[in-house]
Amino acid sequence: MGRVTLQTVADKVGVSRMTVSNAFSRPDQLSQALRERVLAAAAELGYVGPDPAARALARRSSGAVGVVLTDSLGEAFLDPVAAAFFGSLAESLAPTGLAVSLIPAENVGGHVPARDLPVDAAVVYACAGDSEAVQWLRKRRLPLVFVDQDPVPGSAGVLLDDRAGGRVAVEHLLALGHHDVAVLTMNHRRAAPGWVEDPRAAGSNHVARQRTAGALDALDAAGLTGRVYEVVDNHDHLIRPGVADLVASPDRPTAVVCFSDLMAAELVRAAQAAGLTVPDDLSVVGFDDSVHAHTVRPALTTVRQDFAAKGRLAAAALTEAIARTRDAAQDERDDRDPVVRHIPVELVVRGSTAPPRPAGQG
């Protein structure tokens, strides 16, 4: 037998070429019984389906979306928060037939994936809007969805209510009787960990700034002075020197609200290594309700975010953005502005917070 083509399969089943094509690329257009007949005939003939490159060219669609990462690919998948989001995003996109391609924020080894990778749209996850990858994607005029950061004009966004999270964390500590509450956050512009001169200028990304701002809002409302301590980044080896310094400080606070559960867990371990008791000597609040909140003892009081909802909303925003682009290409008028969706947070109280130890006891 010569080369097997769409027409070969169509002739065997007694249907049109389009029917065979739909069996592979648009299964919703056929009855299940007919699709099974077509696929069975294709398998018998050794036909694997239309050439992906030719199909993408004909449809003017790659069938893939990109996810731009702020960290290296390896580090991203070590982060349980990022991994939970990616898992939900991929699962939500699976029924649409869209594949997920990972795009580093910066060029690697002279390659420029954001410029060269065939994708129909992209999610920009916790990555600066002025990064090299985002600049290339915008030059390509691809629809973008920004997650955990403010979207650029004309793009959709999915944002956690980080500011509310920082606020409810402090309000919980105030209700327990704490008056000396500090914030532990990250700033990659720092050369070394330390206290911040201007607390309102703390943080180097949208999430860090919003969580810190919410915490300071609650402290301001209570007439208290807020203090902020920064580490370089949200990685354990960069957190540990900072939390060791924080717990050894002579003006150590009685409670700390942390940027993440990872920071909170490292702070609890540092306090215990210094001979302190959590929560009697130091109350600690995390953020995310990730695996780190459950592996440290005592388990962390934390601000929970819904990772599954974040992935679902990002997937929905992507498919809507792609549809809008196709409508525009077909001169179909759509006056709707891209939507920015907000996800609420929830305080989860566990064993790492308690009223402060009375003065003179210890």
Side-chain angles (χ1 to χ4, degrees):
M1 181 181 294
R3 180 170 173 265
V4 179
T5 65
L6 270 176
Q7 190 63 56
T8 310
V9 180
D11 290 342
K12 181 174 181 61
V13 182
V15 295
S16 68
R17 286 166 48 90
M18 181 59 71
T19 297
V20 177
S21 177
N22 285 341
F24 285 91
S25 57
R26 302 180 65 190
D28 58 309
Q29 300 298 305
L30 308 180
S31 69
Q32 183 175 350
L34 178 55
R35 182 169 186 259
E36 290 176 353
R37 281 178 54 209
V38 172
L39 295 180
E44 181 182 341
L45 293 168
Y47 180 69
V48 296
D51 178 67
R55 183 169 56 188
L57 186 62
R59 295 169 58 185
R60 296 185 179 180
S61 169
S62 69
V65 295
V67 177
V68 184
L69 305 174
T70 185
D71 283 327
S72 71
L73 302 186
E75 288 181 343
F77 284 101
L78 293 176
D79 178 357
V81 175
F85 167 70
F86 297 149
S88 176
L89 175 67
E91 185 176 14
S92 300
L93 286 173
T96 70
L98 290 169
V100 178
S101 298
L102 301 179
I103 301 175
E106 305 299 335
N107 298 343
V108 180
H111 301 288
V112 189
R115 180 194 64 195
D116 302 330
L117 195 66
V119 293
D120 298 327
V123 169
V124 182
Y125 177 74
C127 172
D130 60 354
S131 71
E132 191 169 10
V134 175
Q135 291 181 34
W136 277 113
L137 294 169
R138 295 185 70 187
K139 288 177 183 177
R140 293 172 62 182
R141 298 185 178 181
L142 290 173
L144 303 178
V145 176
F146 287 77
V147 177
D148 284 347
Q149 65 207 295
D150 288 323
V152 299
S155 296
V158 177
L159 300 177
L160 193 69
D161 198 347
D162 291 298
R163 192 161 188 150
R167 185 176 65 251
V168 299
V170 168
E171 289 173 346
H172 165 66
L173 294 169
L174 296 178
L176 290 173
H178 291 273
H179 295 94
D180 187 2
V181 179
V183 177
L184 174 61
T185 190
M186 57 168 280
N187 189 333
H188 62 72
R189 292 188 292 268
R190 294 192 69 97
W195 292 101
V196 178
E197 287 189 18
D198 179 4
R200 288 287 178 181
S204 57
N205 62 28
H206 171 86
V207 174
R209 290 191 296 268
Q210 288 297 302
R211 294 179 183 181
T212 300
L216 296 176
D217 289 344
L219 290 168
D220 288 346
L224 299 173
T225 301
R227 294 194 287 158
V228 178
Y229 191 97
E230 290 179 329
V231 295
V232 177
D233 211 336
N234 190 42
H235 300 301
D236 50 10
H237 67 284
L238 296 173
I239 296 169
R240 285 170 191 152
V243 293
D245 176 68
L246 180 57
V247 299
S249 174
D251 60 346
R252 182 186 71 245
T254 64
V256 180
V257 172
C258 301
F259 166 82
S260 68
D261 289 336
L262 176 59
M263 285 191 193
E266 292 293 344
L267 178 59
V268 168
R269 296 185 184 104
Q272 292 168 340
L276 302 175
T277 300
V278 176
D280 295 333
D281 296 312
L282 181 69
S283 282
V284 178
V285 181
F287 206 113
D288 296 324
D289 200 20
S290 68
V291 64
H292 297 295
H294 306 275
T295 55
V296 71
R297 291 292 178 269
L300 294 176
T301 293
T302 187
V303 179
R304 175 183 293 159
Q305 63 163 302
D306 190 337
F307 303 112
K310 186 187 289 186
R312 288 195 303 270
L313 290 174
L318 271 175
T319 54
E320 289 172 10
I322 293 171
R324 285 167 59 89
T325 301
R326 289 173 180 166
D327 290 345
Q330 296 169 8
D331 295 325
E332 295 184 15
R333 185 178 179 81
D334 187 346
D335 294 328
R336 296 172 299 169
D337 291 327
V339 175
V340 177
R341 296 167 169 85
H342 293 86
I343 303 173
V345 295
E346 174 190 5
L347 180 71
V348 180
V349 178
R350 298 194 181 98
S352 66
T353 54
R357 191 191 296 274
Q361 295 187 16

